[in-house]
Amino acid sequence: MTGARISTLRLAGVTRSFGGHQALRGLDLEISGGEFVALLGPSGCGKSTALNCLAGLLPLTGGQILLDGERIDQLAPERRGFGMVFQNYALFPHMTVRNNVGFGLKMAKVPKAEAAERVTRALDMVQLTAHAHKRPGQLSGGQQQRVAIARAIVLEPRLVLMDEPLSNLDAALRLEMRAEIRRLHQRLGLTTVYVTHDQEEALSLADRLVVLRDGRTQQIGTPEEVYSRPANRYVASFMGYRTLLDATVTGTRGPHVVVDIAGSPLVGLDRDGVAAGGRVTAAIRPEDLDAVTGDESPEGTSGHSGAPGLPATVEVVEYHGRELAVQARLTDGRRVHFRTRKRLAPDESVRLVAPPDRVLVFAADDGDGLPNDLGKRPSRGPGAGDGPAPEPSVPEPSAPQDGEPGSPDPRNPAAAPADEGAAEPSGKSREARETSKQVAT
């Protein structure tokens, strides 16, 4: 079971506005056939808007979408040949599992014998053959999600779109379904675009990540690149750098800089070309901070920089099995987070040290999520995307200001948001109703 494999999918300056609010600002992205790309960010960042634009459920305000060099953003959803898995499944409650999976084939008028064979193969792939006669209400959440995935892949789509498909599952099922989705992606050679707010989910599934904030692209890279080398303070904070400390640069050491934090020096890796006296933010992961207690010497810690460490007082200690998760307070009252195997207790005094290469130093955030120019060396040019995207010249329908699609555009049926509710008992899905509207117009 494999559909026509795409060569490249290109989003060129894709923009979507609701009234005066830009939910998506000039998204540029090229996806190769067989690639698994995750759109990652918090609620309101524009990731679901991007997915709905790809699916054809939202028209573009600006830009183009090209599939193997041919423009498709003006095609109706049903003519794009994509499969979509929704956040809350959108299964028909009165239909059996087999009929749910085969519904799209029936609407496409695939011959019955071929449709039956394809449904049987799809059910076998998601390990639901024994449940083919059941209805969705008789299945667990994980099984219902497998039905939704089977319904998408049975169409042999050129592209599979997944909108936070695991968010309604408990922790154990999420782990199980993550492995299942990756297995199917590899086995079928699918090209997948996956929306999530879960960093761990994105890191474990995707070949590349696209980190979004307020409709702007912050970073595109492999999981390792985004995890180890975040492009800016925002990406760092979103990817697990829990300790973010505003500081001032007091000196440079080649690729490293020395910053002052609460009156103590800390050495970190310069990520933005900052200069002495510049305002910066030092980002550190909990697992990269070492706690030095009592008469211990910092020289014994991994990658010691020669600095004496940041004095801190332990506030909260959480037991996490082999190690403790600790929240401590610096002398100026700011809180830091670290992990340790040492048995620490509240009110205990420690000194915190970190390998210089694990402390990332960014230019201070000016409030819009992008580094400002204050404190940067003159040789560095401004970052891409600093300027605002142009406003559309025509009015657009209003929508909630969180950046995600809201009410459909009454002037264009294709602007309806993805179906996130249960299917109607009449057997006519929202997708089918939208298709009827498209044909009527």
Side-chain angles (χ1 to χ4, degrees):
M1 179 179 295
T2 173
R5 181 149 177 174
I6 71 172
S7 176
T8 57
L9 174 69
R10 182 170 171 244
L11 285 73
V14 170
T15 299
R16 173 64 193 180
S17 297
F18 298 95
H21 173 68
Q22 283 192 316
L24 199 61
R25 308 175 186 226
L27 175 60
D28 290 307
L29 176 65
E30 187 167 305
I31 299 171
S32 300
E35 196 172 16
F36 195 122
V37 173
L39 305 182
L40 178 64
S43 177
C45 72
K47 57 189 186 296
S48 289
T49 298
L51 199 76
N52 286 329
C53 287
L54 263 176
L57 300 174
L58 285 173
L60 306 187
T61 302
Q64 298 180 345
I65 301 175
L66 300 102
L67 183 63
D68 295 338
E70 296 184 8
R71 187 170 178 179
I72 64 167
D73 54 89
Q74 296 176 332
L75 294 179
E78 68 274 11
R79 295 183 57 197
R80 301 190 184 193
F82 299 165
M84 188 156 185
V85 180
F86 297 98
Q87 182 173 341
N88 46 354
Y89 322 143
L91 302 178
F92 294 100
H94 64 292
M95 288 186 181
T96 64
V97 167
R98 174 173 285 277
N99 289 341
N100 264 286
V101 173
F103 181 77
L105 298 175
K106 181 179 179 180
M107 296 297 292
K109 295 182 170 48
V110 174
K112 288 185 178 180
E114 180 186 347
E117 181 182 351
R118 285 165 65 172
V119 169
T120 298
R121 290 203 307 267
L123 289 174
D124 181 62
M125 286 181 189
V126 297
Q127 303 173 24
L128 284 177
T129 302
H131 302 279
H133 63 286
K134 295 181 180 179
R135 288 180 169 79
Q138 297 173 289
L139 304 177
S140 68
Q143 289 170 334
Q144 290 183 42
Q145 189 57 281
R146 290 185 185 192
V147 175
I149 292 171
R151 183 180 59 187
I153 65 175
V154 77
L155 298 172
E156 300 182 353
R158 296 186 289 180
L159 179 71
V160 176
L161 307 174
M162 296 191 177
D163 190 5
E164 304 211 45
L166 308 184
S167 61
N168 291 335
L169 304 180
D170 62 38
L173 275 177
R174 280 201 301 272
L175 289 174
E176 180 182 333
M177 287 306 302
R178 257 170 35 192
E180 186 74 12
I181 289 171
R182 187 66 196 182
R183 180 182 69 82
L184 288 171
H185 173 83
Q186 294 171 338
R187 178 177 175 180
L188 300 177
L190 300 173
T191 304
T192 305
V193 179
Y194 189 100
V195 162
T196 182
H197 64 275
D198 188 309
Q199 305 94 311
E200 184 178 346
E201 198 173 286
L203 289 168
S204 64
L205 283 172
D207 299 314
R208 277 193 303 154
L209 307 181
V210 181
V211 184
L212 297 170
R213 182 190 188 189
D214 296 334
R216 287 192 178 110
T217 302
Q218 300 292 300
Q219 185 171 0
I220 300 175
T222 66
E224 182 179 2
E225 288 169 348
V226 176
Y227 181 88
S228 302
R229 297 184 294 279
N232 55 40
R233 166 183 167 145
Y234 170 76
V235 178
S237 66
F238 196 76
M239 298 306 297
Y241 286 79
R242 290 195 67 191
T243 297
L244 297 170
L245 300 171
D246 292 334
T248 302
V249 177
T250 59
T252 60
R253 297 181 182 178
H256 299 95
V257 293
V258 182
V259 299
D260 177 82
I261 296 176
S264 298
L266 182 69
V267 182
L269 187 63
D270 181 5
R271 293 305 310 274
D272 277 339
V274 298
R279 294 188 298 109
V280 295
T281 297
I284 317 169
R285 290 185 182 278
E287 58 269 31
D288 292 331
L289 276 172
D290 284 327
V292 179
T293 60
D295 296 329
E296 287 183 298
S297 171
E299 280 79 0
T301 60
S302 175
H304 173 60
S305 65
L310 306 178
T313 302
V314 174
E315 285 191 326
V316 179
V317 178
E318 299 176 3
Y319 177 74
H320 285 196
R322 293 184 178 180
E323 61 182 9
L324 301 177
V326 181
Q327 176 182 286
R329 185 181 68 256
L330 300 179
T331 55
D332 62 1
R334 288 184 287 179
R335 289 183 170 85
V336 294
H337 302 269
F338 65 94
R339 291 180 173 272
T340 182
R341 294 194 175 188
K342 297 175 181 177
R343 299 295 122 177
L344 301 178
D347 297 325
E348 188 170 350
S349 295
V350 296
R351 283 171 292 154
L352 300 176
V353 297
D357 286 345
R358 298 297 181 88
V359 179
L360 304 185
V361 179
F362 299 99
D365 195 318
D366 62 7
D368 66 355
L370 301 172
N372 60 26
D373 293 328
L374 185 60
K376 287 190 177 182
R377 294 171 185 160
S379 59
R380 286 185 59 96
D386 286 353
E391 289 292 331
S393 58
V394 295
E396 289 293 329
S398 61
Q401 295 300 301
D402 63 355
E404 301 297 341
S407 302
D409 181 355
R411 302 171 303 175
N412 191 335
D419 185 0
E420 294 185 350
E424 294 184 357
S426 65
K428 190 170 184 181
S429 71
R430 184 167 187 166
E431 296 97 311
R433 296 199 308 274
E434 292 300 325
T435 299
S436 299
K437 292 179 182 178
Q438 290 284 342
V439 172
T441 57

